[in-house]
Amino acid sequence: MTLPGSITVGKALGLNFMGSASTWYKLLILAFLIINPILFYINPFVAGWTLVAEFIFTLAMALECYPLQPGGLLAFEACVIGMCTMDGVKHELIANIDVILLLMFMLGGIHFVRDFLLFIFTKILVKVRNGILIAFLFCFVSGTLAAFVDALTVLAVIISICMGLYSVYHSHLCGDAATSRLSDDSFIPEDKKADLEQFRAFLRALLMNAAVGTTIGGMATLVGQPQNLVVGQVCGWNFMEFLIRMAPVSLPVMLFGYSTCLLLEKFKLFGFGAEMPQSVYEVLAERDRISTQSLSSRDKLRLVIQACCCVWLVVALAFHFAAVGLIGLSIIVLATTFCGVTTEEEVGKAFTESMPFCALLCVFFCIVTIIAQQDLFRPFIEWVFSIPKDTQIPVFYLANGIISAVSDNVFVATIYIEQVHDALLDKIITPDHYNDLAIAINAGTNLPSVATPNGQSAFLFLLTSAIAPLVRLPYVRMMWMALPYTIVLTIVGLVATMFLIPEFTPYFESMGWIPSSVAEHAAEISA
């Protein structure tokens, strides 16, 4: 059978199925869809881990096809054949509603203050000419902000800034071909292609340093990462107790993490160390000069309003006036109202980047539901509790880290901290050991998870953002650039968890900085 234009039905289906993706990738996804039901009938446990591996593979092939389509097909089939229930998926989505609201509204809020952020960071890039110092500033500032602001929000700001810088230079190179897409290099002059590639390498390093920075700073406080909040709530730790208990781990991690950033940039290792090309600097400097001189009174007022919105954002997040997503919604309302954005079309542009990732994250939570309902982690948990007590802390740290690198670290932290809390209630472990294990769980789900983009939602957001294909930052390159950080942070976190926590926790308790880990405190935690 043929369609108009002499195209057969089979060929039309081949062209429509996953669009322009390679034929081999389409066939592989079809093979997954055929194999999974058969494997699930034979051995559900093996089928569950096979599905997890397949989903991770779709993330790794993000530049071949956006993971929502192949990953969504795999998740949809898993629900149909009974790997998980739709009620379970709904429960997982409801449990993570704060993350979903964050993606829907916070990233949209950042869109409406991007002019101010781009103005400030362009000034930094123009005034600071030392590439090593720029990289360190991006890493350090991201880490500092992530201690009080969600890592996704911080990285969304950095992505918005890099996207703006790339747009300025790409538009300058294209000249009259202003309608060309940012991903279209056909209008780039031959003598400027080398500079563009170097600029891409420069932006890649900034993005990766910032992404790792959110991990370095985010593990230190109760609100720095979503899994921190889970651990803190189960343990009954308030903001200050969490900060002090984690300090013996978080402070060495900061020291070695930021030092790693400097060394990578100085010695140009693992894809770091690229300098901003002189031609790019000249374009940005000229653009900054012209834009500063041409600012009208209304433009200046708009920048002031956006600056006030940013101040409100930091204050509201630091004091937790509301859920992060709702604070983002308030930014949208305030920024659009006082900056003159009044049409639905203008507001809709803010959700262009966030909604695809929001949909992908919902698919990811479906995979997490499968992990839970198929008890894929149970053998690991049972094995850890079967080993001697003295070796449980490093094993918990490493087990959480390894699994977090291939799964959702919030889910891993939730599963492990609940199991440890149950062990405390059953008097299998002492309160002191419980607190040490909780610290190990928190550190484990934060640090080794930087090994892969799917280990943390911020890394996954960067991988699937619009900037990743523009600066040539696929899954494997992200893993390669994160590798030195993974090694350093994992080792430092392990050593600190094993040796510094037992050393400093009794001292903090004797000083009255944190409650003493006695039986009464365990009863309070249980309540």
Side-chain angles (χ1 to χ4, degrees), residues 6 93 181 209 320 322 330 332 344 356 385 387 417 443 447 479 506:
S6 300
L93 293 176
R181 297 184 304 166
N209 282 321
H320 311 292
S330 72
I332 295 176
E344 181 182 359
F385 276 117
I387 64 176
I417 196 63
L447 300 177
M479 288 183 62

Side-chain angles (χ1 to χ4, degrees), residues 500-521:
L500 297 185
I501 291 297
E503 182 72 24
F504 284 93
T505 298
Y507 173 76
F508 293 151
E509 293 172 350
S510 66
M511 295 294 291
W513 293 352
I514 56 177
S516 178
S517 300
V518 294
E520 289 79 5
H521 184 48

